[in-house]
Amino acid sequence: MSDIIRLRDITIFGFYGVSPAEREVGQKIQIDLELHADLSEACHSDSLHHTINYESVYSTVMEVVGGTRRYRLLESLGSEICDAIISGFSVTRVEIRLRKLNLPFPNNLSHVEICLTRDAPSL
């Protein structure tokens, strides 16, 4: 069984990008997470101890994005977030979407989005 907890539109400001201008000026990105896990025990117990504390997940995301490492690619940042969640929580799969909202070129394009899926190692 795979239930899902979703965290949507986590908006952060950081210095991401390939071009020096992107890294100097900074920009907003948005993050969506899907955490796959068996939540059946939490459904019956109504206890936080039997589920994934999404406040703790949010804190983990903030630790990764606020760390000392600078990311050029959304792919690198997304992978690091997935790894941190898989190592810290009882999930079977993590899906992450990262959107770059302010693009450094003209014309109409609302955002660029990457999507990564990572499975937790089987025990």
Side-chain angles (χ1 to χ4, degrees), residues 84-104:
I85 291 170
I86 286 171
S87 68
F89 300 91
S90 296
V91 297
T92 57
R93 170 180 281 181
V94 176
E95 295 181 32
I96 188 168
R97 288 173 182 79
L98 295 98
R99 285 180 295 283
K100 187 184 284 190
L101 304 174
N102 303 328
L103 301 165

Side-chain angles (χ1 to χ4, degrees), residues 26-115:
Q27 60 190 300
K28 286 183 187 178
I29 64 169
Q30 285 182 329
I31 300 171
D32 294 339
L33 288 169
E34 288 192 3
L35 312 175
H36 294 247
D38 181 353
L39 302 176
S40 58
E41 192 171 354
C43 293
H44 298 292
S45 71
D46 196 30
S47 172
L48 183 59
H49 298 291
H50 297 138
T51 192
I52 298 168
N53 184 331
Y54 51 82
E55 185 176 354
S56 296
V57 172
Y58 177 84
S59 294
T60 298
V61 171
M62 292 299 107
E63 286 174 19
V64 172
V65 299
T68 57
R69 181 171 174 200
R70 295 285 179 130
Y71 299 91
R72 294 165 94 74
L73 300 178
L74 293 178
E75 292 88 340
S76 299
L77 175 59
S79 183
E80 191 76 22
I81 292 169
C82 287
D83 290 346
I85 291 170
I86 286 171
S87 68
F89 300 91
S90 296
V91 297
T92 57
R93 170 180 281 181
V94 176
E95 295 181 32
I96 188 168
R97 288 173 182 79
L98 295 98
R99 285 180 295 283
K100 187 184 284 190
L101 304 174
N102 303 328
L103 301 165
F105 44 87
N107 296 321
N108 295 325
L109 180 62
S110 69
H111 64 275
V112 170
E113 178 177 277
I114 62 113
C115 181

